[in-house]
Amino acid sequence: EVQLVESGGGLVKPGGSLRLSCAASGFTFSSYSMNWVRQAPGKGLEWVSSISSSNSYMYYADSVKGRFTISRDNAKNSLYLQMNSLSAEDTAVYYCAREDQYCTEGICYAFFDYWGQGTLVTVSS
Amino acid sequence: QSVLTQPPSVSGAPGQRVTISCTGSSSNIGAGYDVHWYQQLPGTGPKLLIYGNNNRPSGVPDRFSGSKSGTSASLAITGLQAEDEADFYCQSHDSSLSTWVFGGGTKLTVL
């Protein structure tokens, strides 16, 4: 059974830092790209960052570029998100999500087939 | 303001059929990018419901179906059940933003 378990959330002051972790099990972690998606209180989903299976490519939403760093350790089946210079706008539940692909007519489209339960990050003084 | 537009809420009685729309633009759905749908039950992480416009992952009942036309997509739920009450999100890719984009979410209430 695929399981994704996030941890590391909590209360942090504006300007502070936090490192989120996501422990993966039930699948070959090193074969999949992984993502972070966040959800502000009472709001919709916002893609944050993604990392390729082999650590070769990282992508970021404009809202976090330069402040957040995604990484992974395939030996430990773990995904991470280092968050610096946090502001109130970063307050959200952060989900890690596995990325799979659907290919048709030679073009492949990514979607998120498994999600964790999320970890809450609150940025407040 | 979400890039993909969904109605904030829909409702229906048990056994009825409801649809949830997802309207995009020429840089996402209209550009040919596929649409995926997620269901989020209260207090839980999202669950993949439909991928590639109209494909159901294993375990998702055939009461759920998706379609896409032009710059919009729709999720249909037939034979509504109380346990279907949840938030639903559409997702696609946007070529202008070079990122994945989500709809704002639709809350389904089973009356």
Side-chain angles (χ1 to χ4, degrees), chain A residues 35-79:
Chain A
N35 291 260
W36 288 99
V37 178
R38 68 183 179 183
Q39 185 172 34
K43 302 295 184 183
L45 301 169
E46 178 191 17
W47 172 79
V48 172
S49 182
S50 70
I51 186 168
S52 61
S53 58
S54 58
N55 257 317
S56 301
Y57 303 102
M58 296 83 162
Y59 303 98
Y60 299 93
D62 286 346
S63 57
V64 307
K65 203 172 291 183
R67 299 187 299 121
F68 289 12
T69 302
I70 191 171
S71 63
R72 64 190 293 164
D73 185 336
N74 286 341
K76 294 183 177 180
N77 291 339
S78 293
L79 174 72

Side-chain angles (χ1 to χ4, degrees), chain B residues 42-91:
Chain B
T44 69
K47 168 192 168 187
L48 179 66
L49 202 61
I50 297 285
Y51 67 93
N53 304 321
N54 56 12
N55 299 285
R56 286 184 308 277
S58 170
V60 173
D62 59 7
R63 301 187 296 106
F64 296 90
S65 63
S67 63
K68 185 185 107 168
S69 178
T71 58
S72 296
S74 288
L75 173 70
I77 309 172
T78 59
L80 266 183
Q81 299 179 4
E83 56 261 38
D84 296 335
E85 200 162 273
D87 293 325
F88 293 84
Y89 294 90
C90 60
Q91 178 230 329

Side-chain angles (χ1 to χ4, degrees), chain A:
Chain A
E1 178 195 5
V2 172
Q3 282 199 319
L4 299 169
V5 180
E6 302 92 338
S7 61
L11 176 63
V12 60
K13 288 182 168 53
S17 299
L18 212 55
R19 188 194 194 209
L20 305 183
S21 299
C22 171
S25 61
F27 66 101
T28 305
F29 181 71
S30 59
S31 296
Y32 289 86
S33 294
M34 296 295 295
N35 291 260
W36 288 99
V37 178
R38 68 183 179 183
Q39 185 172 34
K43 302 295 184 183
L45 301 169
E46 178 191 17
W47 172 79
V48 172
S49 182
S50 70
I51 186 168
S52 61
S53 58
S54 58
N55 257 317
S56 301
Y57 303 102
M58 296 83 162
Y59 303 98
Y60 299 93
D62 286 346
S63 57
V64 307
K65 203 172 291 183
R67 299 187 299 121
F68 289 12
T69 302
I70 191 171
S71 63
R72 64 190 293 164
D73 185 336
N74 286 341
K76 294 183 177 180
N77 291 339
S78 293
L79 174 72
Y80 306 101
L81 186 68
Q82 177 66 44
M83 304 185 296
N84 299 330
S85 303
L86 287 163
S87 70
E89 288 68 41
D90 297 314
T91 294
V93 174
Y94 285 73
Y95 298 100
C96 70
R98 191 179 83 168
E99 181 182 316
D100 202 351
Q101 282 190 337
Y102 161 76
C103 299
T104 179
E105 299 179 350
I107 301 174
C108 295
Y109 304 95
F111 56 91
F112 308 128
D113 63 345
Y114 288 95
W115 300 62
Q117 85 291 347
T119 186
L120 176 62
V121 173
T122 302
V123 184
S124 175
S125 54

Side-chain angles (χ1 to χ4, degrees), chain B:
Chain B
Q1 195 78 349
S2 300
V3 174
L4 304 178
T5 301
Q6 298 179 232
S9 64
V10 297
S11 63
Q16 284 190 333
R17 177 182 187 269
V18 296
T19 61
I20 298 172
S21 61
C22 174
T23 303
S25 66
S26 58
S27 62
N28 42 68
I29 300 176
Y33 292 104
D34 276 10
V35 177
H36 319 298
W37 291 90
Y38 303 89
Q39 177 189 44
Q40 186 175 31
L41 297 170
T44 69
K47 168 192 168 187
L48 179 66
L49 202 61
I50 297 285
Y51 67 93
N53 304 321
N54 56 12
N55 299 285
R56 286 184 308 277
S58 170
V60 173
D62 59 7
R63 301 187 296 106
F64 296 90
S65 63
S67 63
K68 185 185 107 168
S69 178
T71 58
S72 296
S74 288
L75 173 70
I77 309 172
T78 59
L80 266 183
Q81 299 179 4
E83 56 261 38
D84 296 335
E85 200 162 273
D87 293 325
F88 293 84
Y89 294 90
C90 60
Q91 178 230 329
S92 187
H93 183 82
D94 191 282
S95 58
S96 295
L97 300 173
S98 296
T99 184
W100 289 283
V101 290
F102 289 92
T106 299
K107 182 174 181 60
L108 168 64
T109 300
V110 181
L111 303 171

